[in-house]
Amino acid sequence: MADRSRRSASIPVCSSGLSVPERQIALRQIIDELQDLCDGASDRRPVLHHLLQTVRESMVSIARADDDCWEDIIRELFRLRAMMVRLETDTAITCH
C-alpha cells in the first residue's frame, strides 16, 4: 500500500499547467494505479476494467483537453481511486 501512496503523491493535484506529454504521464500513473487497485480487488470488476481500457485508449485526447475539462477528469479519477481504496479497506476490515 505504501507504494501506491508514493505514486499518488507524485501526481500534482492542480495540474492544469502541465504540457500534453506531462499530462499523459500523470494520466498513465493514475490509470495504472486504478488498474492495480482493480486487479487486487477481492471481487472482479469488469465494468471498471472496461472503463480503464477506454480511458487508456483516449489518453491523448484527454491530455489535450482544455484546463477546466482536464481538472474535472483528474478530480473524478482521484474520487474513483478514493472510493476504491475505501471499498477495499471496508472489505478487509469486514473479513477480519
Side-chain angles (χ1 to χ4, degrees), residues 37-45 88 91:
L37 288 167
C38 189
D39 291 346
S42 55
D43 61 337
R44 304 312 303 165
R45 297 179 173 128
E88 284 305 305
T91 301

Side-chain angles (χ1 to χ4, degrees), residues 29-30 57 66-67 75 83:
Q29 287 175 334
I30 295 166
E57 292 169 0
D66 65 47
D67 287 346
R75 187 175 13 267
M83 181 190 68

Side-chain angles (χ1 to χ4, degrees), residues 13-89:
V13 175
C14 181
S15 55
S16 59
L18 297 176
S19 67
V20 171
E22 290 169 328
R23 285 181 176 190
Q24 285 179 282
I25 291 167
L27 189 56
R28 188 172 299 113
Q29 287 175 334
I30 295 166
I31 297 305
D32 287 348
E33 183 173 358
L34 287 169
Q35 188 69 57
D36 289 346
L37 288 167
C38 189
D39 291 346
S42 55
D43 61 337
R44 304 312 303 165
R45 297 179 173 128
V47 173
L48 185 55
H49 280 284
H50 182 70
L51 173 66
L52 294 176
Q53 183 60 34
T54 301
V55 173
R56 277 188 201 284
E57 292 169 0
S58 304
M59 228 181 274
V60 173
S61 297
I62 294 169
R64 290 182 177 160
D66 65 47
D67 287 346
D68 290 337
C69 185
W70 167 255
E71 290 293 332
D72 288 344
I73 291 167
I74 294 303
R75 187 175 13 267
E76 290 305 317
L77 289 172
F78 280 137
R79 288 174 74 190
L80 175 61
R81 179 196 175 277
M83 181 190 68
M84 290 176 66
V85 168
R86 190 171 44 254
L87 287 172
E88 284 305 305
T89 301

